[in-house]
């Protein structure tokens, strides 16, 4: 009897299989080997035929042979596709392999099984030392009928990969098996690199129906915001952009066919497909290794979240909302619109077109009423209000409120206005424009708790934004223009020329300005001419105080009178002179008698540029103010901590006095400058205190008088800038000097004045004679206490120096030491004393001749 494998075609096919190097064994109808074979060598063709005939005699006729998979057959692989457990899977696998693995297609041998399944064969090359194992990559859940038949079997595998030496697979020409496709190269079974084998296995796992696709994770709270199936993730999954996730990650599209987009991973040069996107199921399948993406199935949003946002679903959600994905439920959309209107923020991008139109209408309506937005928010319940701290800061900032050196200012275009706290709070209250008592009460409560804090959170006004004077430029502001004064002249500008700078409203004079070429006329000019007299020194002094800039080069200018008797100085115009600076700069005047010489000295000062100590009494100590004149100061305000005032912010100090000033301190002397007033107005009935030429100063000035005044001030500032801020002292008048002598040396001035002619006439006056004269003067003047010899000598020396009278009371000896007087001989007796007039000049001409004082000379007070 001819056996099944005795047929020539079958013998030929068996011979090809054996010659290809695979290990074949006979198997029964259950596909089981007739005898153990593990570990045995491959059977040759004759041995195989003998075995078939032997088992045919012992059992039923042998009609099947199987390949021993794994290393024994040259790393043989069989992919067993079981269609009886998954209908249609064979056709799908065949189509997918042909498309996905088009680069390997010629290496596959494919056979059809009796049940309609498939066997896909290939060998792995370069697999030495690699333990290749089989697997069951694809399964499905058991159906209800199957569970009835076998309740314990919950799953059915429909793809098996056979790769180990202990596994077998029945092959053609076994009965019922047919050859569908041969391998085009590498013999009957193509050689595939192990990396491609892994890629194939990973791909097969994508058919697994038990392991779910990686899907979007969205919180239940967020999901409740959206209409069913319309969350940002749902809409993205169905969108065109959702089918382009791999494209954005750098993958290359290979082709689109069969309802699937196939991709080649980045940097791969050949056409090896490593991922697909199923257009119907809207899922990505990643099945290549070393791509940086885990091999599994994803929907578009889960792949986007994994690769672009590091699996942070919150970030991914915000991103998709920002792109406009997600259809909100009606009540949620209304709440978002209301929230955006209240907070002044933008709408979420996924608000519907109708919702956005409603929002725009409401924003426009509120914008017309509340152009800076709102800082009061209504809660969920009607009438439940909240004052939002962040929003109130934004509104204040948009309104133009700023903080500047512990004060509140309001910027209106290019103007800066200082305001107090009441103005600030009432301004906000007026802006609210509401009669809602609950809201107004809440606002008042907010002010009590957070009003000061709100002011502290205002944005800072930066100095560099303010147009202010500097060392070489002085700015003055008027209604129609502002001027810049330099040492070279003046320039006018309109406020359109500010180029972003701001100007203090308090610095803008409520009058117009234009240049006048000749201004040596008018009330102010005549007042100064009569009261003081015009010269460059005075113009520099006026320019110093009118120039709104302060640095270390600063002075203390004191106004006094030329009259020798302080009682004759009233009404000379000193205080009027100072107060008129208030027409060109900020001005503060305080009675000197009220000044406290401590940190509270500037208690009432509000950063005015000029600070005048009026009516300084006799003997007023200026040493306390020495450092303030050309430095900063420490200021203590009422109920506030002390703070430092920088030089640039410090006032320029001045003073007025009917008396002279003690400048014996070198620091005061260096800084002190005097302006002496004449007796012109003291002789006018009422002085200049009230009227000048029939017009009150400056109440009755007209536009022309103000214009003359402003031009004079500009000229004085220019004169001050020309001298590089240096004001050299001016020699005081004789009467002014006499007043100073009387203040510094008290009665000594009258003593020296009453005796100087006699001393000059005598030429030589002994110390004894001087002492007798001084004693006689004291008795006549009823002066009890005598002043020291040093003070008397100094008073005489100052008097003689001022009137250019020769005077010698000491000289340098040959050894370089100073003598303690001069000595001459009278009737052979040494006399100690002083030289005056011509005698002093003669002595000075020959003062190289030392005159020694005998030891028996009596020491006298002089």
């Amino acid at each position: 009897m001819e056996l099944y494998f005795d047929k020539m075609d079958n013998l030929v096919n068996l011979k090809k299989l054996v010659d290809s190097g695979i290990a074949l064994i006979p198997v029964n109808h259950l596909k089981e080997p007739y005898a153990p074979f593990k570990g045995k060598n491959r059977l040759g063709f004759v041995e195989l035929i003998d075995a078939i005939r032997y088992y045919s005699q012992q059992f039923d006729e042998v009609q099947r042979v199987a390949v021993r998979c794994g290393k024994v057959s040259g790393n043989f692989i069989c992919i067993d596709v079981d269609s009886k457990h998954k209908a249609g899977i064979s056709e799908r696998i065949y189509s997918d392999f042909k498309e996905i693995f088009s680069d390997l297609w010629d290496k596959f041998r494919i056979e059809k099984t009796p049940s309609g399944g498939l066997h896909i064969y290939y060998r792995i090359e370069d697999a030495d030392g690699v333990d290749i194992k089989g697997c069951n990559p694809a399964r499905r859940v058991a159906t209800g009928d199957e569970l009835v038949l076998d309740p314990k079997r919950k799953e059915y595998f429909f793809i098996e990969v056979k790769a180990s030496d202990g596994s077998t697979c029945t092959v053609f020409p076994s009965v019922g098996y047919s050859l569908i496709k041969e391998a085009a190269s590498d013999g009957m079974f193509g050689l595939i690199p192990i990396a491609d084998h892994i890629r194939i296995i990973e791909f097969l796992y994508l058919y697994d129906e038990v392991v779910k696709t990686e899907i979007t994770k969205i919180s239940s709270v967020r999901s409740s915001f959206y209409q069913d199936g319309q969350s940002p993730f749902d809409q993205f999954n169905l969108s065109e952009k959702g089918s382009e996730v791999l494209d954005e990650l750098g993958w290359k599209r290979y082709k689109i066919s069969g309802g699937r987009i196939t991709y080649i991973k980045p940097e791969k040069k050949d056409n090896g497909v490593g991922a697909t996107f199923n257009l119907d199921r809207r899922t990505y399948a990643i099945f290549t290794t070393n791509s940086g993406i885990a091999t599994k199935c994803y929907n578009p949003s889960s792949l986007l979240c994994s690769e672009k946002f590091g699996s942070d679903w919150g970030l991914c959600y915000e991103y998709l909302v920002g792109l406009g994905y997600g259809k909100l439920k009606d009540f949620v959309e209304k709440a978002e619109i209301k929230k955006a209107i209240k907070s002044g923020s933008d709408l979420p991008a996924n608000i519907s077109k109708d919702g956005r139109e409603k929002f725009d209408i409401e924003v426009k309506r509120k914008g017309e009423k509340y152009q800076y937005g709102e800082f009061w928010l209504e809660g969920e319940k009607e009438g439940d209000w909240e004052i939002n701290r962040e929003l109130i800061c934004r509104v204040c900032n948009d309104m133009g409120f700023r903080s500047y050196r512990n004060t509140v200012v309001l910027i209106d275009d290019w103007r800066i206005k200082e305001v107090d706290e009441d103005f600030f709070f009432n301004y906000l209250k007026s802006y609210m424009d509401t009669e809602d008592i609950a809201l107004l009460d809440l606002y008042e409560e907010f002010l009590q708790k957070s009003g000061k804090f709100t002011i502290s959170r205002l944005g800072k006004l930066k100095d560099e934004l303010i147009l202010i004077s500097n060392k070489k430029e002085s700015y003055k502001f008027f209604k129609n223009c502002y001027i810049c004064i330099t040492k070279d002249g003046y320039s006018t500008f309109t406020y359109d020329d500010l180029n972003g700078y701001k100007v203090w409203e308090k610095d803008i004079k409520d009058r117009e300005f234009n240049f006048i070429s000749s201004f040596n006329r008018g009330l102010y000019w005549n007042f100064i001419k009569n009261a003081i007299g015009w010269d460059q020194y005075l113009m520099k002094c006026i320019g110093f105080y009118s120039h709104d800039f302060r640095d270390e080069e600063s002075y203390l200018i004191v106004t006094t009178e030329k009259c020798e008797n302080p009682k004759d100085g009233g009404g000379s115009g000193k205080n009027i002179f100072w107060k008129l600076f208030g027409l060109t700069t900020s001005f503060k005047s305080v009675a000197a008698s009220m000044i406290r010489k401590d940190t509270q000295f500037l208690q009432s000062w509000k950063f005015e540029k000029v600070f005048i100590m009026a009516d300084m009494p006799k003997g007023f100590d200026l040493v306390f103010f020495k450092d303030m004149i050309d430095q900063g100061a420490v200021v203590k305000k009422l109920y506030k901590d002390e703070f430092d005032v920088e030089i640039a912010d410090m006032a320029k100090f001045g003073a007025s006095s009917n008396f002279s000033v003690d400048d014996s301190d070198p620091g005061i002397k260096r800084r002190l400058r005097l302006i002496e007033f004449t007796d012109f107005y003291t002789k006018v009935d009422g002085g200049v205190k009230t009227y000048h030429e029939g017009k009150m100063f400056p109440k009755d000035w007209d536009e022309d008088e103000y214009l003359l005044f402003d031009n004079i001030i500009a000229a004085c500032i220019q004169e001050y800038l020309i001298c590089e801020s240096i004001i050299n002292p001016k020699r005081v008048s004789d009467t002014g000097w006499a007043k100073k002598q009387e203040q510094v040396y008290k009665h000594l001035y009258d003593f020296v004045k009453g005796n100087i002619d006699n001393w000059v006439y005598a030429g030589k006056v002994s110390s004894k004679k001087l002492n007798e004269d001084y004693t006689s003067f004291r008795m006549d003047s009823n002066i009890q206490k005598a002043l020291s010899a040093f003070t008397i000598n100094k008073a005489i020396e100052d008097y003689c120096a001022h009137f250019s009278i020769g005077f010698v009371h000491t000289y340098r000896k040959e050894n370089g030491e100073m003598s303690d007087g001069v000595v001459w001989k009278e009737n052979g007796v040494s006399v100690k004393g002083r030289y005056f007039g011509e005698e002093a000049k003669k002595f000075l001409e020959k003062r190289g001749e030392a005159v020694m004082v005998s030891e028996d000379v009596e020491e006298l007070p002089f």
Side-chain angles (χ1 to χ4, degrees):
M1 179 181 69
E2 184 181 32
L3 299 175
Y4 178 78
F5 282 109
D6 286 338
K7 295 178 180 179
M8 183 56 65
D9 289 344
N10 291 337
L11 287 173
V12 171
N13 287 320
L14 286 177
K15 181 71 165 59
K16 290 180 180 180
L17 292 174
V18 172
D19 290 345
S20 69
I22 67 171
L24 291 176
I25 57 172
V27 295
N28 61 25
H29 67 285
L30 297 176
K31 305 176 187 178
E32 298 171 343
Y34 288 98
F37 60 85
K38 191 173 183 180
K40 292 184 178 181
N41 294 330
R42 292 191 300 270
L43 298 177
F45 178 67
V46 176
E47 293 176 308
L48 176 63
I49 296 300
D50 289 343
I52 289 173
R53 288 172 178 169
Y54 173 76
Y55 291 122
S56 295
Q57 293 175 356
Q58 297 295 322
F59 305 98
D60 293 335
E61 179 184 2
V62 176
Q63 296 183 346
R64 299 169 182 84
V65 293
V67 177
R68 293 171 57 193
C69 299
K71 293 181 181 180
V72 70
S73 295
N75 297 314
F76 185 88
I77 303 296
C78 171
I79 298 174
D80 186 358
V81 181
D82 191 351
S83 61
K84 68 178 179 292
H85 288 154
K86 181 68 176 176
I89 188 62
S90 296
E91 293 79 3
R92 182 178 169 189
I93 290 289
Y94 187 91
S95 174
D96 288 348
F97 263 58
K98 188 173 183 180
E99 177 183 350
I100 302 301
F101 302 111
S102 59
D103 55 327
L104 304 176
W105 183 249
D106 288 345
K107 297 181 181 295
F108 297 137
R109 178 184 173 94
I110 302 176
E111 297 177 353
K112 185 177 181 181
T113 68
S115 62
L118 293 179
H119 281 181
I120 301 175
Y121 307 123
Y122 58 86
R123 280 170 164 162
I124 300 174
E125 62 179 348
D126 300 326
D128 295 342
V130 179
D131 185 15
I132 301 173
K133 296 181 179 181
C135 58
N136 295 286
R139 56 193 165 162
R140 64 170 175 81
V141 177
T143 65
D145 293 339
E146 290 170 336
L147 287 173
V148 171
L149 296 174
D150 189 354
K152 293 183 179 180
R153 190 172 181 180
K154 307 294 184 182
E155 300 171 352
Y156 286 84
F157 289 95
F158 53 86
I159 298 178
E160 180 183 5
V161 178
K162 299 178 179 182
S164 61
D165 289 348
S167 59
T168 62
C169 63
T170 306
V171 296
F172 174 80
S174 297
V175 65
Y177 289 81
S178 59
L179 179 63
I180 297 177
K181 174 188 175 300
E182 290 185 336
S185 60
D186 301 324
M188 297 183 67
F189 306 98
L191 290 174
I192 291 177
I194 192 168
D196 286 326
H197 167 69
I198 295 172
R199 182 161 64 103
I200 292 170
I201 300 304
E202 294 291 353
F203 175 72
L204 293 174
Y205 273 101
L206 300 179
Y207 293 98
D208 191 3
E209 297 178 0
V210 177
V211 177
K212 295 181 179 180
T213 299
E214 181 72 24
I215 59 173
T216 303
K217 299 176 182 178
I218 180 171
S219 69
S220 59
V221 174
R222 283 176 173 166
S223 63
S224 66
F225 294 166
Y226 296 93
Q227 299 183 21
D228 292 341
Q230 296 292 316
S231 76
F233 301 107
D234 295 330
Q235 286 194 347
F236 179 75
N237 291 338
L238 298 174
S239 69
E240 182 66 24
K241 195 172 182 64
S243 62
E244 298 171 349
V245 178
L246 280 181
D247 300 78
E248 294 186 2
L249 294 174
W251 289 64
K252 296 175 288 185
R253 290 193 180 196
Y254 177 57
K255 65 170 63 174
I256 300 176
S257 63
R260 180 190 295 112
I261 304 173
T262 52
Y263 287 92
I264 301 172
K265 69 180 181 180
E267 308 302 327
K268 190 170 181 63
K269 295 182 180 179
D270 57 27
N271 63 347
V273 175
T276 65
F277 179 68
N278 190 304
L279 293 169
D280 293 330
R281 295 169 58 190
R282 308 297 294 176
T283 57
Y284 288 94
I286 310 298
F287 52 85
T288 186
T289 56
N290 301 320
S291 69
I293 306 176
T295 53
K296 62 175 77 171
C297 283
Y298 303 83
N299 62 22
S301 57
S302 63
L303 181 60
L304 175 75
C305 181
S306 170
E307 302 309 311
K308 187 167 184 174
F309 299 101
S311 298
D312 189 324
W313 289 100
L315 290 178
C316 186
Y317 172 81
E318 297 297 336
Y319 171 75
L320 293 178
V321 169
L323 293 179
Y325 291 105
K327 187 173 182 180
L328 293 164
K329 293 180 178 178
D330 290 342
F331 78 92
V332 176
E333 182 168 274
K334 290 178 181 178
E336 289 290 341
I337 293 172
K338 183 178 180 181
K339 176 182 175 182
I341 291 172
K342 286 183 177 180
S343 64
S345 59
D346 293 332
L347 280 174
N350 57 3
I351 294 294
S352 68
K353 181 180 178 181
D354 288 344
R356 193 168 296 279
E357 290 176 354
K358 293 177 182 177
F359 171 80
D360 291 340
I361 292 171
E362 184 63 17
V363 167
K364 181 179 180 181
R365 185 189 70 81
K366 285 207 169 190
E368 293 172 351
K369 184 175 182 181
Y370 302 114
Q371 57 178 317
Y372 305 112
E374 300 175 44
F375 55 81
W376 56 98
L377 304 178
E378 188 175 8
E380 295 296 329
K381 297 180 180 179
E382 189 74 22
D384 184 12
W385 296 101
E386 171 197 353
I387 302 295
N388 187 282
R389 289 175 172 83
E390 174 62 26
L391 292 180
I392 201 170
C393 288
R394 293 184 186 180
V395 170
C396 292
N397 183 75
D398 291 344
M399 284 179 171
F401 283 108
R402 297 291 187 276
S403 173
Y404 184 77
R405 298 178 183 174
N406 300 317
T407 60
V408 182
V409 299
L410 177 60
I411 302 174
D412 181 9
D413 195 11
W414 49 267
R415 295 173 183 262
I416 313 169
K417 177 183 179 181
E418 287 188 12
V419 300
D420 58 23
E421 293 181 0
D422 285 343
F423 177 93
F424 172 66
F425 294 137
N426 289 332
Y427 193 96
L428 291 179
K429 185 175 182 179
S430 175
Y431 174 74
M432 293 170 69
D433 190 21
T434 181
E435 296 181 1
D436 189 313
I437 297 300
L439 177 55
L440 292 175
D441 184 65
L442 179 66
Y443 176 71
E444 293 296 333
E445 181 183 354
F446 174 83
L447 295 185
Q448 291 179 3
K449 294 180 179 179
S450 303
K452 298 287 186 184
F453 175 77
T454 301
I455 289 176
S456 71
R457 297 298 296 164
L458 292 175
K460 306 299 181 184
L461 173 61
K462 298 179 180 179
D463 283 322
E464 53 264 33
L465 295 178
I466 308 171
L467 185 62
I468 55 177
S469 300
N470 55 58
K471 192 173 184 65
K472 296 185 177 181
E473 296 175 326
S474 182
Y475 292 96
K476 293 296 176 183
F477 304 95
F478 303 91
K479 286 199 304 184
N480 64 324
C481 67
Y482 67 94
I483 63 173
C484 176
I485 308 165
T486 68
K487 66 178 182 179
D488 298 321
Y490 331 129
S491 300
T492 59
F493 302 91
T494 68
Y495 290 104
D496 292 335
D497 301 323
L498 284 171
N499 295 323
Y501 282 108
K502 313 297 181 185
V503 175
W504 287 108
E505 186 177 78
K506 62 184 179 181
D507 290 341
I508 303 173
K509 310 301 180 290
D510 189 23
R511 54 187 185 267
E512 295 188 352
F513 179 88
N514 56 74
F515 286 115
I516 300 175
S517 59
S518 175
F519 44 77
N520 54 345
R521 54 189 170 86
L523 296 177
Y524 182 71
W525 176 270
N526 290 327
F527 163 64
I528 297 295
K529 180 185 68 173
N530 296 331
I532 307 168
W534 284 103
D535 58 15
Q536 285 187 321
Y537 171 80
L538 179 62
M539 291 183 70
K540 292 174 184 176
C541 292
I542 294 175
F544 164 69
Y545 284 108
S546 300
H547 178 39
D548 294 323
F549 174 77
R550 165 76 194 272
D551 62 4
E552 295 86 349
E553 291 179 346
S554 191
Y555 304 95
L556 171 63
I557 298 179
V558 178
T559 55
T560 184
E561 300 89 4
K562 294 181 179 180
C563 59
E564 190 170 327
N565 189 343
K567 295 180 180 180
D568 298 332
S572 62
K574 300 187 300 298
N575 289 336
I576 292 294
F577 169 79
W578 285 121
K579 289 180 180 178
L580 289 175
F581 280 104
L583 298 178
T584 191
T585 187
S586 52
F587 174 83
K588 178 75 176 179
S589 178
V590 175
S593 60
M594 302 297 293
I595 289 175
R596 295 178 55 177
K597 295 174 183 166
D598 55 26
T599 55
Q600 296 187 33
F601 161 56
L602 295 172
Q603 178 73 253
S604 62
W605 176 61
K606 296 181 180 179
F607 291 91
E608 289 90 353
K609 297 294 184 182
V610 176
F611 190 103
I612 302 303
M613 298 174 285
D615 301 323
M616 222 165 40
K618 183 177 181 180
F620 189 80
D621 184 11
L622 290 173
V623 175
F624 170 77
F625 308 97
K626 179 169 61 177
D627 291 337
M628 292 187 201
I629 296 171
D630 57 7
Q631 297 180 33
V634 176
V635 177
K636 176 69 173 70
K637 293 288 188 180
L638 194 63
Y639 307 121
K640 295 183 179 180
D641 294 334
E642 292 182 355
F643 60 93
D644 292 328
V645 178
E646 301 295 332
I647 294 174
D649 300 323
M650 198 62 204
K652 296 177 181 178
F653 293 97
S656 64
S657 178
N658 290 340
F659 302 89
S660 187
V661 182
D662 183 0
D663 63 355
S664 56
D665 182 276
I668 292 296
K669 187 177 184 66
R670 178 171 61 84
R671 299 167 173 83
L672 184 66
R673 299 294 183 267
L674 295 178
I675 295 177
E676 293 185 289
F677 277 66
T678 69
D679 60 357
F680 182 88
Y681 289 109
T682 62
K683 298 176 180 179
V684 177
D685 186 20
V688 74
K689 182 178 181 181
T690 307
Y691 290 94
H692 178 70
E693 296 186 7
K695 294 188 178 182
M696 186 174 287
F697 252 58
K699 182 179 179 182
D700 292 338
W701 286 10
D702 57 22
E703 292 182 2
D704 290 338
E705 294 297 341
Y706 278 111
L707 188 57
L708 288 167
F709 170 82
D710 291 329
N711 275 268
I712 292 170
I713 292 298
C716 291
I717 293 174
Q718 183 184 9
E719 191 68 33
Y720 174 68
L721 295 177
I722 289 173
C723 72
E724 302 291 341
S725 306
I726 303 299
I727 304 176
N728 294 319
K730 181 181 179 181
R731 187 179 186 276
V732 298
S733 65
D734 291 346
T735 52
W737 175 86
K739 183 186 295 185
K740 177 181 175 183
Q741 291 296 102
E742 191 278 334
Q743 180 165 323
V744 174
Y745 297 112
K746 301 180 173 57
H747 60 268
L748 290 179
Y749 172 70
D750 290 334
F751 166 65
V752 176
K753 182 180 178 182
N755 289 277
I756 190 64
D757 290 343
N758 293 333
W759 295 336
V760 172
Y761 179 78
K764 295 178 180 179
V765 181
S766 67
S767 297
K768 181 179 179 180
K769 169 63 174 169
L770 286 171
N771 189 50
E772 290 173 349
D773 290 344
Y774 182 50
T775 300
S776 176
F777 173 80
R778 285 174 49 221
M779 291 178 65
D780 293 342
S781 303
N782 196 26
I783 298 172
Q784 300 296 320
K785 186 177 179 180
L787 297 177
S788 68
F790 174 83
T791 304
I792 297 172
N793 280 329
K794 192 71 173 64
I796 298 172
E797 183 179 38
D798 284 357
Y799 191 96
C800 292
H802 182 76
F803 291 104
S804 301
I805 299 172
F807 175 67
V808 177
H809 67 91
T810 185
Y811 64 94
R812 189 174 298 282
K813 298 185 290 187
E814 288 182 346
N815 62 4
E817 296 178 355
M818 295 301 295
S819 73
D820 59 353
V822 292
V823 178
W824 63 89
K825 294 283 187 175
E826 288 185 3
N827 300 322
V829 179
S830 295
V831 178
K832 183 178 179 181
R834 308 289 183 269
Y835 290 155
F836 290 91
E838 292 299 319
E839 288 294 330
K841 293 179 181 179
K842 291 177 183 179
F843 176 80
L844 292 174
E845 292 176 355
K846 60 177 184 178
R847 62 179 182 166
E849 299 179 9
V851 178
M852 302 302 295
V853 179
S854 62
E855 294 181 0
D856 60 346
V857 173
E858 181 183 359
E859 285 294 328
L860 299 173
F862 294 94

